[in-house]
Structure formats: structure tokens, C-alpha cells
Amino acid sequence: MAKDLDFNRDKDLARDFLSNFADTNGDPKYMKILQDVANHKTKAIQIDLEDLFNYKDLDEDFLQRVTENTRRYIGIFAEAIDELIPEPTEAFPDDEHDILMTQRSEEGTENTDNSDPRQRMPPEIKRFYEVYIRTSSKGRPFTIREVKASHIGQLVRISGIVTRCSDVKPLMQVAPGDVVELSGIFLPIPYTGFRAMRAGLVADTYLEAMSVSHFKKKYEEYELKGDEEEQIARLAEDGDIYNKLARSLAPEIFGHEDIKKALLLLLVGAPHRKLKDGMKIRGDLHICLMGDPGVAKSQLLKHIINVAPRGVYTTGKGSSGVGLTAAVQKDPVTNEMVLEGGALVLADMGICAIDEFDKMDDSDRTAIHEVMEQQTVSIAKAGITTSLNARTAVLAAANPAWGRYDLRRTPAENINLPPALLSRFDILWLILDRADMDTDLELARHVVYVHQNKESPALGFTPLEPSVLRAYISAARKLCPCIPKELEEYIASAYSGIRQDEAKSNTPHSYTTVRTLLSILRISAALARLRFSDTVAQSDVDEALRLMQMSKFSLYSEDRQRSGLDAISDIYSILRDEAARANKMDVNYAHALNWISRKGYSEAQLKECLEEYAALNVWQIHPNTFDIRFIDA
């Protein structure tokens, strides 16, 4: 038989706890809060279960009673606070509550002896504060499905994604798509009248929230702590920070350095541009990873969603058009037609990762077109005509048309995505799985090491934690780099050169449009942000062009093998063509290195080519600067 509960004794315990509990500095924590309440500085009194657990004069049974009968104990703590609340120490103007209380107390003077309890004013009305009990952050929170009928009346902690918000509680500061952790009291909503007769013992349930905390704050809301600011300042001064940040993304995945760099730039993004006439130019980068099976595309997607403060992961076959954009549904409470945001809307100001992109139906895939360029979702359904924001970066992963890339077919046949969609991706990265003795050995050793030790092999530095990455990126995203005048001509000539190369090619590897030029500008701005620079440098533009070229590197290497060109001959052809295009006999070494690195060659191969052709008297090399002068035959 359950023992009788003495609520008066528990009230004494609560009063003792509130008046005597001290924080780490030895100050009375809750008496300070009560003084602020008395001075009308705050209205919320949050009681932490951790403090109850750590308080020496309370037993575990009291803590269990608070957890299992929370609604009742909020009332007990409120009664204790009524007795403890001090006199105000600061003057404050009367608000609506004070005026109302004065008026009510004047109206109730005729019942001065309190003989009629029905005429007595309840203490709940007099209170100008609210009491919340916050659960401990230790342990795993429940999922919504794990909360059962046995938890009724108890304090529970659940985690999940917010799908819809009403305007009833605007101070909660949550939006659809936020990953949050709620702690609150799980309570029933009993039916009344005829509905109660029909429902019998069945009742709806709800969670009366006591506290709401974000798992990952948005970049804009991220506040750097003192030690984080120092750490980011140290990282920003590191000359190799670009490589370190990229290699800290999914260090367990072997290789893919350039892909990780592109994904890092996807997280950083470029600033959005808004013109005077209201036209907007997006700053978010869109990347599509297309490759053979088993090249870790899905793992990279999952890791990026883990790092990003706001991310939604979905698969192509399991996503419909309305599931990605928005669906019109009947609200179960009000029976009104309401809009339910889809994956792209929930990922607003974040990243939407779509796996198995090639398996999507064409009709569903067209829903993404508007989101990728205009960054809105327009709806005209069931009498609802509106436009929803979907300012999201799309990260897609797909397999080629026949499962694996078929080198006998053209790139267009293999990629098998409509040009209208392809042109919207800033980078389409082709990853071909080719047999190579040395690479395969390194890969196998890496995978075996990860399986044995459950961590990546040593990278030469300690990989940065996702929280540090988020802090660094949030600081970088505050900058808005601009392109200086002197780079305009350089970018324009680079873009026209890409167009010319594509026009000459029998089987072009990509669709180069004006969107490609915007992509170059976006990637360059993202690189400038990483350096904490307000202006885009030429090195940023060169790296942007190199990444766009490297995305098709696996195809270029196959083309070279097919045409029989070795690396040295190909480098010579590149330098000769570029010099002829500029109509110059002298070539700067830095420019030469930039041209060949875009095609995927290394500096060692360039030096080998320079020595070989200098011996043939094709050109002369400056002994100090390595600049090239062609000998006119």
C-alpha cells in the first residue's frame, strides 16, 4: 500500500531548498531570482532538478515525487515562493497586472473576514510570476514514440524537429526545421460532454513545455564564448586553415580532399545579393556528387548534415514533390486547411541533402527547379496561394545512368539529368572508381585501421570538432566580401576561355552558362570568407576555377589515356595554347602553374616538362623565377 504523502512537509522542504541553496560562488541562487521577481525584472522562476539532486538536505524520494507528480509540485513550490518572496528594493512603474490586482482587492473588501471561501481570491491569480521545473540534461532524451501512457503527469524530455508553429507563443523563438529538445509535463486533455461519452477512457495528450533548447543554433544566433574567440583567432592566423578545415570533415573517409573542400565552401556559402529594384541573387552553393557505387557519397552527405546547424536529409525514391516543397492538410485540432512545410522549406537557411537523386521521378524533380534559383516555393492549392521561403543549399548524390559510369558513352548520356537542372548546380562532381594499385592499397589500409580503432589514422594534426567547425563558419559568414575592379577582366576572360574550350570539344563534360560565371563568383566569395577577408583575391578565383576543373578530373584523365597523351606532352600543349591565346612569347611561372593545376597536374610534373622541353630548345627558363620564354622557330 502506498504511503500517504505529506504535502505540508514537502512545502517546508521546498521553502528550505529555495532559501538555502547556494551556487558555485556560495551566493543564494534562488533568493537572488526571487529578488529580481519582486523588483519586476523577471517573471520566470526556473528550478533545476540538478540543483535538487545536489542539495544535501533533500532525499531521493522527494526528487522522485517532483519528477512523477510535477504539476502538483509546481503548485507546492509556488506556495513556498509566496511565503519567501522579499519586498521590492527598487521602484518600478505599475503594470496592468498590478492595477488589476488593486482593483480586485478593492472589490473584495466586503468579504473581509474570509467567511465565504468562494469569494476569496485564489493565490494563482495574485501571482505575477511563473514557476518552471527544468529536467536534467544528462542521459538520452525520449523520442516522441517512446513516451507512453505510464508517463502521464511526469516530467519528460523529448527531442525532435519542429514541423509547424502557431503564433500563440511568439517568445519561444522556434521555427519549422529547428532541432530542439523539450522538457515538460506529459498531460491528458479530457473530453467533455457528448465527446466524452463517445471516447470512453481515451483522451488526447499534450506536453506542457517547461524549457526549450536548440540542439544546434543558427549561424546568426551563434554567440562565441571567450575561449572560442581565441581559438578562432588562432585558426584564422594559420596559413593552412583551408586544408585543415576541409580535412576535418569526415576524417574517417579516405581521400576526396578536393570534394571535402567543395563541401566546406557549401557550408560557408557566399553572401546573398539584393539589388535596388528588389531582385535577389542567391549566395547558397548547390553541389551534386555523381559517382560509382561505394565512393562514400552518402556518408559525406550524412556528415555534412551533422555539421550544419540546420540540415534535412532525404532520399530521392522516398520523396515526392509535395514532400519536398509543401503539402496542404487538414489541421486535426481546428479542422482548417493548413500548409505543412516539406524538406526544402524545413531546411530554410540550412542544407537539404537529397540522396539517390537520380532515382527521383521527373515530375517530383521539377519541384526543385524553383527552389534552386529563386529560393522560394510557390503554392496554389485548396484556396491557399502563397510563397514560402526555401533559402537552402542543395547537396545531391546520384549514380550515373547505368549504375556505373560507362566510358564508351558520352558524359551527357552518363549523367542523364536535364540541362535545366544541371546548370543550377554550382559544381557537379564526377567520382569514378578506377582500379589503381597504390591508391587501392592505401584505401584498404585506411578502412582496416578505422574498423580496428574506431577512429581515423593520424592526419598530422588534430581534426577539429563539429562544434569548432560551426563556430568558425558562423564567424566567417558574418563577412560580405566584394570583388575588386582589377579582377573583373580576369574573371571575364577565364569564363570566356571555359566557353571556348567547351565549344571546341566533341563531347563536352559540362553545360557552361552564365550561371557558371555566377558559380565562380560565389565560390570565390566563400573562399574569401574563410580567410576573413573583405575582398576577393586572385588566388580565390584561381582556386574556384581549379575546383570546377577538378570536379571532372577523372574524366580528363580518361580522355588523355584514350588520346595517348602523356602528362608532359599535355602540359606542353596547355602552355603553348595559353601563350598563343594571349599572343605572348613570355609566360609567367605562377600563371603556368595555375593553368596546369586547373587540369589536375602537379608542380613536379610542370618542372619536369620545363626541363625536358628546355633541353629540346623549345623554350628558355629563367634560372631564378622559372619564367618561360618561347624560342621563335
Side-chain angles (χ1 to χ4, degrees):
M1 183 177 170
K3 60 182 177 181
D4 294 331
L5 297 176
D6 186 353
F7 289 121
N8 287 323
R9 179 176 167 275
D10 282 350
K11 189 171 85 170
D12 293 338
L13 285 171
R15 189 171 58 238
D16 178 59
F17 164 76
L18 290 167
S19 53
N20 296 325
F21 181 80
D23 57 17
T24 49
N25 300 325
D27 299 326
K29 176 179 176 180
Y30 290 102
M31 290 310 292
K32 270 184 164 181
I33 296 170
L34 294 187
Q35 188 64 65
D36 286 343
V37 169
N39 293 336
H40 284 222
K41 286 184 177 177
T42 183
K43 289 186 176 180
I45 301 169
Q46 287 211 330
I47 296 163
D48 283 321
L49 279 185
E50 289 273 330
D51 296 344
L52 284 169
F53 179 76
N54 294 329
Y55 190 56
K56 61 182 187 307
D57 294 337
L58 290 182
D59 54 4
E60 283 189 16
D61 291 341
F62 180 77
L63 187 68
Q64 188 178 349
R65 291 198 293 275
V66 172
T67 311
E68 293 181 354
N69 193 4
T70 312
R71 171 61 75 82
R72 181 65 182 265
Y73 276 83
I74 283 177
I76 289 171
F77 272 102
E79 288 171 19
I81 289 166
D82 286 340
E83 296 174 12
L84 284 174
I85 201 152
E87 291 296 318
T89 55
E90 297 174 15
F92 54 84
D94 286 350
D95 58 13
E96 300 90 341
H97 186 273
D98 296 321
I99 296 164
L100 195 63
M101 286 301 101
T102 309
Q103 185 182 348
R104 283 193 173 181
S105 57
E106 286 172 358
E107 287 173 359
T109 49
E110 59 268 15
N111 185 34
T112 49
D113 57 349
N114 289 333
S115 56
D116 186 357
R118 289 174 298 179
Q119 293 294 322
R120 199 182 306 153
M121 191 185 295
E124 289 85 356
I125 294 178
K126 294 180 188 175
R127 288 175 193 144
F128 49 90
Y129 58 83
E130 291 185 46
V131 180
Y132 301 105
I133 295 179
R134 190 163 56 187
T135 184
S136 166
S137 57
K138 292 176 182 173
R140 187 181 72 86
F142 289 116
T143 60
I144 292 174
R145 286 184 179 181
E146 289 171 344
V147 180
K148 305 291 185 189
S150 57
H151 294 103
I152 289 284
Q154 294 186 16
L155 193 65
V156 295
R157 187 162 61 99
I158 61 170
S159 63
I161 297 177
V162 178
T163 57
R164 191 149 47 90
C165 290
S166 68
D167 297 328
V168 177
K169 291 205 172 183
L171 295 176
M172 280 174 66
Q173 292 180 337
V174 291
D178 286 355
V179 182
V180 295
E181 190 174 282
L182 299 170
S183 71
I185 313 167
F186 187 54
L187 294 168
I189 308 175
Y191 292 124
T192 55
F194 181 65
R195 288 186 71 192
M197 292 167 63
R198 283 182 58 195
L201 295 174
V202 178
D204 282 341
T205 53
Y206 72 102
L207 189 81
E208 186 180 312
M210 296 281 112
S211 69
V212 181
S213 58
H214 287 72
F215 264 137
K216 305 178 199 169
K217 288 187 177 174
K218 296 179 191 171
Y219 289 127
E220 295 78 24
E221 295 169 3
Y222 209 100
E223 292 177 7
L224 298 177
K225 303 181 189 77
D227 55 338
E228 281 183 334
E229 283 186 10
E230 289 174 22
Q231 190 175 5
I232 286 167
R234 257 198 329 272
L235 289 170
E237 290 167 8
D238 189 340
D240 197 32
I241 185 60
Y242 175 44
N243 289 316
K244 282 186 178 176
L245 287 169
R247 292 177 70 193
S248 297
L249 288 175
E252 297 81 18
I253 295 173
F254 174 77
H256 293 333
E257 274 87 3
D258 283 327
I259 298 172
K260 289 178 184 178
K261 284 177 181 176
L263 295 177
L264 173 67
L265 298 176
L266 174 92
L267 287 166
V268 175
H272 294 274
R273 308 280 181 195
K274 190 169 183 180
L275 309 186
K276 289 178 183 175
D277 61 354
M279 183 181 171
K280 293 176 185 174
I281 300 172
R282 70 174 165 93
D284 292 311
L285 289 166
H286 302 314
I287 294 178
C288 180
L289 305 176
M290 178 169 281
D292 294 336
V295 291
K297 300 187 296 295
S298 299
Q299 290 285 15
L300 283 169
L301 259 66
K302 288 270 188 186
H303 188 83
I304 292 298
I305 292 300
N306 181 37
V307 171
R310 187 169 192 155
V312 176
Y313 179 88
T314 180
T315 58
K317 204 65 184 169
S319 304
S320 63
V322 290
L324 287 170
T325 54
V328 176
Q329 294 180 337
K330 187 172 277 190
D331 190 291
V333 180
T334 62
N335 281 335
E336 291 179 356
M337 300 302 280
V338 292
L339 272 179
E340 187 90 24
L344 291 164
V345 177
L346 292 178
D348 185 35
M349 303 298 283
I351 292 172
C352 183
I354 307 172
D355 206 355
E356 308 293 348
F357 194 60
D358 54 307
K359 314 289 190 303
M360 286 180 73
D361 295 332
D362 289 338
S363 57
D364 297 331
R365 211 185 281 140
T366 50
I368 305 171
H369 285 223
E370 182 196 356
V371 172
M372 289 181 74
E373 208 55 54
Q374 275 69 47
Q375 299 215 295
T376 55
V377 172
S378 300
I379 297 291
K381 295 177 182 175
I384 299 173
T385 306
T386 187
S387 185
L388 303 172
N389 282 328
R391 295 155 295 184
T392 175
V394 175
L395 174 59
N399 293 114
W402 289 273
R404 284 182 70 100
Y405 197 94
D406 188 349
L407 290 166
R408 290 165 297 182
R409 300 177 190 270
T410 63
E413 288 175 320
N414 274 291
I415 293 168
N416 196 30
L417 289 174
L421 191 60
L422 279 181
S423 67
R424 283 171 162 82
F425 282 109
D426 296 277
I427 297 177
L428 171 71
W429 207 291
L430 286 167
I431 316 166
L432 271 61
D433 183 18
R434 293 283 164 264
D436 180 271
M437 185 74 176
D438 297 335
T439 312
D440 291 346
L441 268 172
E442 278 185 64
L443 170 65
R445 288 185 189 123
H446 182 100
V447 171
V448 171
Y449 184 92
V450 170
H451 264 262
Q452 285 176 330
N453 301 286
K454 296 180 183 173
E455 61 177 8
S456 65
L459 298 174
F461 69 99
T462 308
L464 303 173
E465 292 291 319
S467 57
V468 179
L469 276 170
R470 275 196 290 275
Y472 189 92
I473 290 167
S474 71
R477 283 175 71 101
K478 291 185 174 79
L479 295 162
C480 189
C482 59
I483 292 165
K485 265 268 193 243
E486 56 267 21
L487 274 183
E488 287 177 7
E489 191 58 38
Y490 184 76
I491 294 169
S493 59
Y495 168 68
S496 62
I498 294 171
R499 291 274 287 186
Q500 289 301 312
D501 289 346
E502 188 179 295
K504 289 176 189 171
S505 174
N506 296 325
T507 55
H509 298 130
S510 58
Y511 299 96
T512 306
T513 64
V514 180
R515 283 181 178 148
T516 311
L517 175 58
L518 290 172
S519 301
I520 295 167
L521 298 177
R522 273 190 286 270
I523 297 167
S524 306
L527 284 158
R529 274 180 161 184
L530 275 179
R531 293 187 296 106
F532 287 103
S533 171
D534 288 321
T535 54
V536 174
Q538 186 175 328
S539 58
D540 298 327
V541 180
D542 290 339
E543 175 63 11
L545 292 165
R546 187 191 75 82
L547 281 175
M548 295 185 84
Q549 201 76 27
M550 287 301 290
S551 63
K552 311 290 187 305
F553 171 62
S554 47
L555 285 187
Y556 295 131
S557 58
E558 294 290 341
D559 287 352
R560 283 197 295 273
Q561 286 177 15
R562 204 178 295 163
S563 60
L565 277 176
D566 64 322
I568 306 301
S569 307
D570 201 20
I571 289 172
Y572 168 70
S573 304
I574 292 165
L575 298 181
R576 186 192 60 212
D577 292 347
E578 291 290 347
R581 185 179 295 169
N583 201 17
K584 287 183 180 176
M585 299 298 290
D586 296 315
V587 176
N588 183 287
Y589 179 75
H591 290 169
L593 183 59
N594 178 27
W595 293 333
I596 64 113
S597 63
R598 284 192 216 161
K599 302 285 185 184
Y601 293 115
S602 65
E603 188 173 7
Q605 289 172 315
L606 172 62
K607 287 189 173 173
E608 189 182 341
C609 173
L610 295 182
E611 289 170 10
E612 191 169 313
Y613 279 86
L616 297 172
N617 272 342
V618 173
W619 52 44
Q620 292 175 337
I621 310 297
H622 192 283
N624 299 326
T625 61
F626 296 109
D627 289 345
I628 306 158
R629 170 174 282 242
F630 281 88
I631 298 170
D632 196 4

